[in-house]
Amino acid sequence: MEIPARVALVTAPRGDAEWNALGDEAGTLLSRYLRINTTNPPGNEIVAARWLAMVLRRDGIESQIFEPAPGKANLYARLRGDGSARPLILLNHMDVVLASPEYWQVDPFSGAMQGGYIWGRGALDMKGEGIAQLMTLLILKRAGIPLKRDVIFLATSDEEIGAGVGAGWFAERHADLIRDAEFLITEGGTTRANERGGIDYFGVGTTEKSPFWLDMTARGTPGHGSRPTPDNPVHRLIRALDRIAEWRTPLVVTAGVERYFRDLSGLETDSTRRRWFSDIRAALRDSVAVRAITSDLTYNALLRNTISVTGLKGSDKTNVIPPLATAALDVRLLPGQEPAAFLAELQRVVGDTAVTFRPQGPSWPATESSTDTELFRAIEAAAHARRPDALVTTPMLAGFTDSHYFRRLGIASYGVGPFPLTVSESRGVHGNDERLSPEALRFGVRFLYDIVQRVAGR
Ligand SMILES: [Zn+2]
């Protein structure tokens, strides 16, 4: 696949004309990147990795491709600084989730540039940000910007299904290549645009909830469907699930969430909500406020451990009572919550010893990065350079990204969403008609470069 013309640079880009040209280069690169189908499974990220390596090589940046399994790949490139400060990692995943073309206005792997957008699965999650990170590297190299810290570009497989061959694999198997890093930037942040063309806030991801997925099993006496048994495991499972569905998990206000609501209170136009948000702990003692606030799905998820029952299985035959029935539970825990304590509480709510729970896979405690760092201050400064009065805040992510692998190594990791998106534009993530406007891309390339140059430039 061909790659677009490069914008020549002899010094750091200045002025809108040069940045617009770089934004156009990014748009053409993104359109090409979106044509590489990396739907996971199977992902086939090796094709994307080879393409990224080719783009990097053209600017004289060598990269290494690691292949943990056939078709899977993790790409690593490193721009050298003078070593006076520790490296910064730019982390992006190459895989995307399934797209159902029948619900799209365009082919999701066409990279179409039409109607004021660049279209394709991954435009927002997260090939667009991957391209902004790539452009940052290309600009630093092309313009010969002196660096005090190395800048590492890490493009990984397998973020979307977590089969153990992506960022986690890399962080474990090639820890020597990243262990010295101080900082990391990846997905999981928000630049929230409003319908008036302004920016409401810059949200930096410093923490996220942790998944604690469970298999739930009810046991009982099997038999023929024509002779009902009192301990039919399917009935048992239904009774237990009913208790779980009715359970209102306790409201918990973490320090980060308290700060986030206080930050948001300044944006509220309604005086009651402004009062609630300015002291969320006090508000949650008022049942009217609790009902109003938790009716917002996002706020609700930030204030409690949540459980979604997502899977059910009984007998394959209608006339057979099975020996066991199972359900899948998507549990998400707040920072500071102990999985074992949560499990004991769940067992108490169910109140049936014939019903058991088993974690589906490894879980980890939620991790958090401090806001008192040079990188966080660089993000704030870059945000304020664009919008002097904009709020910079730290929303907790109800989902999760690959950053926990790196936070556990002591690397301060932040979610940065470089593109200004309205609430409705963000819906393309894992949805239909995922797309990014060239203006948002241009903004994001310049914003991300600015952050990196502030924290890594000499
Ligand atoms: Zn993603």
Side-chain angles (χ1 to χ4, degrees):
M1 216 178 310
E2 80 279 32
I3 35 183
R6 334 162 31 231
V7 176
L9 292 173
V10 279
T11 60
R14 320 164 220 251
D16 290 342
E18 211 156 28
W19 275 110
N20 286 350
L22 289 163
D24 291 346
E25 181 180 341
T28 317
L29 282 170
L30 177 58
S31 167
R32 298 280 196 281
Y33 192 20
L34 292 172
R35 285 186 219 166
I36 304 172
N37 185 341
T38 51
T39 303
N40 195 11
N44 208 17
E45 295 94 336
I46 185 75
V47 181
R50 289 195 184 121
W51 180 78
L52 289 169
M54 183 177 76
V55 177
L56 286 163
R57 191 174 310 122
R58 198 175 58 148
D59 267 289
I61 303 170
E62 283 311 315
S63 56
Q64 285 171 271
I65 296 177
F66 299 86
E67 298 181 52
K72 310 301 276 188
N74 297 302
L75 176 138
Y76 173 88
R78 189 163 181 144
L79 268 192
R80 292 284 168 189
D82 67 12
S84 59
R86 289 158 58 207
L88 162 70
I89 301 171
L90 302 177
L91 172 71
N92 63 91
H93 64 84
M94 297 178 282
D95 59 324
V96 298
V97 293
L98 187 76
S100 306
E102 62 272 31
Y103 301 117
W104 284 59
Q105 295 179 48
V106 302
D107 171 359
F109 298 99
S110 62
M113 299 171 93
Q114 64 184 58
Y117 286 100
I118 304 164
W119 301 67
R121 172 57 87 222
L124 303 175
D125 183 14
M126 68 171 289
K127 285 177 170 169
E129 186 165 354
I131 290 296
Q133 295 183 356
L134 177 75
M135 286 301 297
T136 297
L137 234 72
L138 298 181
I139 296 167
L140 290 172
K141 171 79 173 159
R142 230 176 259 173
I145 306 292
L147 298 172
K148 65 178 179 186
R149 49 176 101 237
D150 294 1
V151 177
I152 294 169
F153 179 83
L154 185 57
T156 56
S157 292
D158 194 38
E159 195 276 338
E160 298 291 0
I161 61 170
V165 291
W169 178 90
F170 194 88
E172 194 186 319
R173 298 294 194 86
H174 296 285
D176 50 310
L177 294 176
I178 52 166
R179 209 194 322 255
D180 59 337
E182 182 173 14
F183 297 127
L184 178 141
I185 292 174
T186 189
E187 63 184 340
T190 320
T191 298
R192 177 58 69 221
N194 57 42
E195 303 293 347
R196 303 177 301 281
I199 289 177
D200 276 344
Y201 64 86
F202 291 88
V204 185
T206 55
T207 188
E208 48 197 39
K209 289 176 91 173
S210 68
F212 184 47
W213 296 348
L214 298 172
D215 286 323
M216 174 176 171
T217 303
R219 289 188 169 73
T221 310
H224 196 277
S226 64
R227 290 164 23 85
T229 52
D231 63 343
N232 177 336
V234 180
H235 293 193
R236 271 206 135 115
L237 184 76
I238 291 169
R239 281 193 293 269
L241 288 174
D242 183 50
R243 286 181 208 119
I244 290 173
E246 289 302 313
W247 183 31
R248 298 278 161 272
T249 55
L251 293 165
V252 178
V253 181
T254 65
V257 168
E258 183 175 27
R259 194 177 54 227
Y260 174 58
F261 275 106
R262 202 180 313 121
D263 287 346
L264 286 189
S265 69
L267 299 176
E268 275 297 335
T269 45
D270 178 279
S271 65
T272 306
R273 289 174 70 85
R274 193 161 39 211
R275 179 164 50 79
W276 288 344
F277 284 14
S278 65
D279 187 350
I280 192 73
R281 275 178 211 279
L284 295 183
R285 289 194 286 270
D286 167 2
S287 61
V288 176
V290 168
R291 252 196 314 281
I293 294 167
T294 59
S295 68
D296 180 300
L297 302 185
T298 303
Y299 296 156
N300 182 58
L302 298 185
L303 291 166
R304 54 172 28 127
N305 300 325
T306 60
I307 309 169
S308 294
V309 179
T310 50
L312 282 175
K313 193 163 172 9
S315 174
D316 291 332
K317 287 201 158 46
T318 304
N319 63 352
V320 173
I321 299 171
L324 49 87
T326 61
L329 268 50
D330 182 346
V331 173
R332 307 290 176 125
L333 301 179
L334 289 166
Q337 300 286 305
E338 261 308 315
F342 180 84
L343 209 50
E345 186 63 8
L346 189 61
Q347 196 79 63
R348 191 193 60 76
V349 166
V350 164
D352 183 346
T353 52
V355 175
T356 55
F357 297 92
R358 199 166 48 86
Q360 279 184 7
S363 65
W364 54 87
T367 51
E368 181 154 17
S369 296
S370 163
T371 54
D372 184 18
T373 66
E374 192 186 343
L375 176 54
F376 193 86
R377 284 186 286 277
I379 297 167
E380 272 182 319
H384 287 143
R386 281 153 181 78
R387 299 287 188 279
D389 330 315
L391 171 66
V392 178
T393 182
T394 51
M396 178 167 68
L397 200 63
F400 64 97
T401 68
D402 277 338
S403 58
H404 64 96
Y405 295 117
F406 301 87
R407 287 203 181 113
R408 275 185 282 173
L409 296 177
I411 301 171
S413 305
Y414 300 105
V416 174
F419 311 123
L421 300 173
T422 63
V423 171
S424 74
E425 283 170 326
S426 315
R427 292 208 182 100
V429 174
H430 292 209
N432 303 317
D433 290 337
E434 188 175 349
R435 59 192 190 268
L436 181 65
S437 74
E439 297 78 42
L441 177 62
R442 200 178 294 149
F443 180 101
V445 167
R446 195 168 177 176
F447 180 36
L448 191 66
Y449 173 83
D450 190 14
I451 293 169
V452 172
Q453 179 271 325
R454 282 170 194 269
V455 76
R458 206 159 57 203

